[in-house]
Structure formats: structure tokens, C-alpha cells
Amino acid sequence: MNITKNSVIPGKHDKPIVADVFYTKNKTQKPLVIFCHGYKGFKDWGPWDLMAEAFANAGFFFIKFNFSYNGGTVEQPIDFPDLEAFGNNNYTKELDDLESVIDWISNHTKYQPEINIDYISLIGHSRAGGIVTIKAEEDNRIKKVISLAGVCDFGKRTSTIGNLEEWKREGVKYVLNGRTKQQMPHFYQFYENFVANEHRLTIKRAVSNLKIPYLIIHGDADTSVLIDEAYNLNNWNSNSLLEIIESANHVFGGSHPWPKDNLPKALKEALIISIQFLNN
């Protein structure tokens, strides 16, 4: 298996995107799968490397990356050394980053013998479930999309980060990262950006308009994004497929760090379902 870590992709907002690629080099053009991490996430979290290897072993060309404003850097792509960047992130920047990754891999001459650019699928975890669905609805290069413990409503989350009047007055609100114990900033621009782009960022609109195969995977023990959100997504698109994984939490049994051997049981089940969906 060929693994290239921490390739640097130019972003559209003055910060680079750091990406990993996983594939079997055999000069056979493989379907492309691009994975997007969620809120307070990063490409090297927990068992995501094992997930990438599983997709590569199943015959896919797999990419995972850090959103350019996720708080990581080129030198330190793990965790959040750049909290200023984290505070300046927003949904449209993440959509632009995903587009940059798609453009980069589509035009990368080194990988062209190994990728079928006509078969691009997106997978988004948690918050990125919404990001990939919006991008899939607006970009006809995308052929399939998977929401993995994905959210159904950005607006509800944007407006509940804190008291809007206080947030506007202070310019920043903080959210504790339970794992790193960092106080993660959200600058008020996040809310302003959402309001300015609300139509585009309405997940219900994107899901309802999707014309490509759409898979929703959710755990029934998810306390971060309740399973009701998966039911909403499923109800908004009559052609969607909903798979519920029994006893799975928001990260499908994973944690960070994760041993470099076996996938957690629930995530393995999610990957088997995903690979079957992508192969059909």
C-alpha cells in the first residue's frame, strides 16, 4: 500500500490544507473517496488511519485532510496549535477547502493512472456530514455521498453556541475541548458568515435536492448528534438509505489515540456498509 502523509494543498483563504493519500499502486484507476473530519476533529484522529487503510485495501483511492482553519498547522497537523485559525473558521471556508482538495487531486498528474476521476464519493463525519452533502448537491463531479453520524441543521448549532448579543458585543465565545482542555474560540464572524450564506448552508435544502445515491450511517447510542437527526436526513430524501448501528456512539467506538491494529467494532461495521454502498 502506498501512503503519503501531509501533502500540502493551497487553500483559498491564505492557509494550506494538509492531506493524506492511501492507495494500492497498480496503475488501475480506482474510485476516489474523500473523507472530511468533523467539529474539533483532524485527519489523524483516533482510528482514521485504519479506516483509510481499509478503504485502500478494498480497492479505493482514499484521501483525508485537515480543513485549513481547523486549528492545525503544516508543522503540527495533529491537535490545535493555532487557535486563532480555529476561531476564524466557518462553513463556507470548509466548503471551499473541500473544493480545493477535489480540484487538486483531479489535476495531479502523479496520481492520474491510479484514480477514476469520474467516480468521486464524499464521506463526512459529524459536522462534515452537512459539508459533504451540500458540496455533493452543488458539484456534479460527486457521484455518491455518505453522512457518518452527520448533523441535519447548521442553523440550530450556530445559534446555540452562546448568547448572540453577548457574542456580538465580546466578539468571541469559547467552547471547552474535553480531551485537550483547550478553550476553543469562536469569533463572531462564524455567525455572520452563516447568516450571509444561510440558503446555501441549509442542509435540508441540499438533502432534498440530492439526485445521487446518499447513505446515512448513525449509531443509536450517539449522544453528540442524536439519531433523530439521521431520521430527519432520511425523511428529506426519498431515495436515501439509512443504516443504524446498534450501540454505536458518535465516534463508532473510537478514541484518541487509538492502537494501530484493529478497528473498533462499530466503525468496522460502518465501513463494511460504506464499502458495499460505494461498490453497488
Side-chain angles (χ1 to χ4, degrees):
M1 181 183 301
N2 281 58
I3 301 174
T4 302
K5 301 279 287 185
N6 300 328
S7 295
V8 178
I9 302 171
K12 298 181 179 181
H13 300 278
D14 301 319
K15 285 190 178 294
I17 301 159
V18 187
D20 303 338
V21 300
F22 292 70
Y23 66 102
T24 299
K25 188 174 183 180
N26 55 13
K27 294 186 178 179
T28 298
Q29 291 188 323
K30 293 167 275 292
L32 173 63
V33 176
I34 302 174
F35 173 78
C36 301
H37 67 77
Y39 177 59
K40 293 188 286 189
F42 51 100
K43 66 179 179 62
D44 297 297
W45 182 87
W48 292 157
D49 270 356
L50 293 177
M51 174 185 69
E53 292 175 10
F55 275 100
N57 284 330
F60 296 91
F61 191 107
F62 188 90
I63 300 175
K64 57 186 176 73
F65 67 96
N66 280 351
F67 287 113
S68 60
Y69 279 74
N70 83 316
T73 63
V74 173
E75 297 77 20
Q76 292 179 267
I78 296 176
D79 289 336
F80 313 104
D82 189 352
L83 290 179
E84 182 77 11
F86 183 92
N88 280 301
N89 195 21
N90 56 51
Y91 298 127
T92 60
K93 284 177 179 172
E94 292 189 351
L95 285 164
D96 285 346
D97 284 348
L98 179 51
E99 182 171 320
S100 293
V101 172
I102 297 168
D103 291 344
W104 172 78
I105 196 61
S106 297
N107 296 300
H108 202 303
T109 55
K110 173 184 175 181
Y111 297 127
Q112 283 181 355
E114 304 291 340
I115 304 175
N116 182 356
I117 296 301
D118 293 327
Y119 193 171
I120 302 175
S121 299
L122 304 179
I123 304 175
H125 177 248
S126 191
R127 178 163 112 177
I131 294 296
V132 298
T133 305
I134 291 167
K135 180 53 66 179
E137 188 272 332
E138 66 187 19
D139 191 329
N140 61 16
R141 293 176 294 181
I142 310 308
K143 299 302 185 286
K144 293 186 178 182
V145 61
I146 300 174
S147 172
L148 192 63
V151 303
C152 75
D153 187 345
F154 283 153
K156 182 171 64 175
R157 284 168 173 78
T158 303
S159 61
T160 56
I161 288 177
N163 180 287
L164 289 176
E165 292 184 4
E166 181 181 348
W167 191 10
K168 182 177 182 179
R169 183 173 64 251
E170 299 295 329
V172 62
K173 291 291 182 184
Y174 293 92
V175 174
L176 176 67
N177 186 316
R179 181 177 61 83
T180 67
K181 307 309 178 186
Q182 291 168 294
Q183 290 288 341
M184 313 286 283
H186 288 276
F187 299 127
Y188 189 66
Q189 64 80 31
F190 185 90
Y191 179 73
E192 293 177 308
N193 175 265
F194 173 76
V195 172
N197 298 279
E198 186 169 2
H199 177 75
R200 184 189 185 196
L201 296 175
T202 299
I203 298 171
K204 181 179 181 179
R205 176 201 59 78
V207 169
S208 301
N209 290 328
L210 269 181
K211 300 297 190 294
I212 61 174
Y214 176 41
L215 172 63
I216 303 152
I217 302 177
H218 218 99
D220 64 6
D222 190 338
T223 58
S224 297
V225 178
L226 300 182
I227 198 168
D228 289 350
E229 302 209 32
Y231 291 133
N232 285 338
L233 295 171
N234 185 226
N235 288 336
W236 294 336
N237 188 307
S238 59
N239 295 317
S240 62
L241 176 64
L242 173 62
E243 294 283 353
I244 298 171
I245 298 184
E246 186 176 352
S247 302
N249 65 6
H250 187 57
V251 289
F252 298 90
S255 60
H256 187 82
W258 186 260
K260 300 295 183 182
D261 44 19
N262 294 320
L263 283 161
K265 180 181 177 181
L267 181 58
K268 184 176 182 179
E269 184 176 346
L271 295 186
I272 290 171
I273 293 168
S274 298
I275 289 168
Q276 290 175 340
F277 169 77
L278 295 176
N279 279 328
N280 289 336

